[in-house]
Amino acid sequence: MKFNSDEIKDLAERFEGQTPREILQWAADNFGQRLAISSAFGPEGLVIIDVALREVTPRIPVFTIDTGFMFKETNELIAKVEQKYGITVERLHPELTPEQQAEKYGPELYRRQPDRCCYYRKVLPLQKKLPELDAMVTGLRRSQGESRKGAKILQMQETPDGHRYVKVNPLAAWTKEEVLWHIHIHQLAYNALHDQGYASIGCTPDCCTRPTQNGEDERAGRWAGTDKKECGLHTFAANI
């Protein structure tokens, strides 16, 4: 790691007001092959992939965490993105299939113990990937909800086993309207479920993802009826 936490904090403040292209260019210049884009293919991820691969370099790899519970619309969108940019999206998989997990831990673990399910199907696959990286680009925005309002453009993080990496959030200061405008003017494909009221799209069970109602924040449809707000991908590592 070529930066310490104080340097990353200083850079994060300097990057306020800079464009996503400028932030991604800095990341590509400084981390090279140790940089990757992590995307669940929501609107923010689509904007980041478009800016990174079209305006910075087509060589930044893209990966997603395939929990085994993806909507078919999400898989269809990934195929469109791969075709548009001439890439192959790396899929990170849990150790167990959904059927194996149900056999080992009982049916509908996602409903009975959602944190545990997310840990097995999302957090552990990411933890195995991170040693390959010094920086990971995400689509976090401060205005997505209460749990994300403190997001910085750059954050130094450390995993439980001591691996340090920089989380790069080029859209941290963007609004939802800015994201949708970029998708519109660049005619990007997006998940068809957004037209059915799904503001944030995760796994298929209705306890994990549902359409949002008028007046709800963007992530209200995730784990509705519980106190759970995050799957753990953005919270398992400590900010340093």
Side-chain angles (χ1 to χ4, degrees):
M1 172 59 65
K2 63 190 292 185
F3 298 98
N4 61 42
S5 56
D6 288 337
E7 289 171 328
I8 291 299
K9 289 176 184 176
D10 289 341
L11 284 165
E13 292 180 3
R14 284 171 44 193
F15 285 163
E16 289 289 341
Q18 293 199 18
T19 66
R21 186 200 65 77
E22 291 169 324
I23 297 163
L24 287 163
Q25 186 69 64
W26 171 86
D29 291 343
N30 281 279
F31 298 109
Q33 295 181 349
R34 300 278 295 176
L35 170 73
I37 297 168
S38 172
S39 180
F41 292 87
E44 295 77 17
L46 298 172
V47 170
I48 286 171
I49 290 169
D50 182 61
V51 173
L53 303 189
R54 184 171 53 81
E55 299 185 26
V56 178
T57 171
R59 294 187 298 275
I60 302 176
V62 180
F63 70 87
T64 193
I65 299 173
D66 186 344
T67 64
F69 289 106
M70 278 186 170
F71 285 91
K72 68 177 181 62
E73 290 86 352
T74 304
N75 283 311
E76 290 167 356
L77 175 60
I78 292 173
K80 291 178 182 178
V81 170
E82 289 178 320
Q83 182 177 20
K84 177 179 176 65
Y85 299 101
I87 63 172
T88 298
V89 174
E90 180 185 6
R91 291 177 182 251
L92 309 184
H93 297 278
E95 288 188 356
L96 302 178
T97 66
E99 294 76 19
Q100 290 169 333
Q101 177 174 288
E103 182 177 351
K104 184 172 183 178
Y105 298 110
E108 298 189 337
L109 184 65
Y110 47 80
R111 198 177 302 276
R112 296 180 290 107
Q113 295 179 284
D115 285 336
R116 190 178 182 191
C117 187
C118 286
Y119 179 73
Y120 291 147
R121 309 208 69 77
K122 292 187 176 184
V123 175
L124 285 181
L126 179 60
Q127 284 183 333
K128 292 179 180 179
K129 174 69 176 177
L130 282 173
E132 302 175 17
L133 305 176
D134 287 333
M136 178 180 73
V137 183
T138 84
L140 283 181
R141 284 192 296 106
R142 294 166 189 156
S143 57
Q144 284 174 317
E146 187 71 17
S147 63
R148 300 186 173 188
K149 67 178 183 180
K152 308 296 184 184
I153 290 174
L154 301 179
Q155 296 172 236
M156 178 74 84
Q157 299 209 298
E158 185 174 83
T159 65
D161 63 0
H163 177 67
R164 292 188 175 189
Y165 65 99
V166 177
K167 183 186 287 185
V168 183
N169 305 314
L171 304 183
W174 273 35
T175 63
K176 179 181 179 180
E177 289 71 26
E178 288 174 302
V179 171
L180 297 180
W181 178 245
H182 183 101
I183 288 174
H184 173 70
I185 63 173
H186 292 284
Q187 298 184 318
L188 304 184
Y190 61 88
N191 197 314
L193 291 173
H194 291 307
D195 292 334
Q196 300 176 35
Y198 289 82
S200 178
I201 300 167
C203 293
T204 52
D206 59 1
C207 58
C208 300
T209 307
R210 66 154 173 81
T212 51
Q213 308 300 319
N214 289 337
E216 291 184 325
D217 72 39
E218 294 177 47
R219 292 182 61 79
R222 304 293 294 279
W223 310 287
T226 75
D227 293 332
K228 184 174 173 62
K229 300 299 181 185
E230 295 285 345
C231 63
L233 292 177
H234 296 295
T235 55
F236 79 93
N239 292 319
I240 59 173

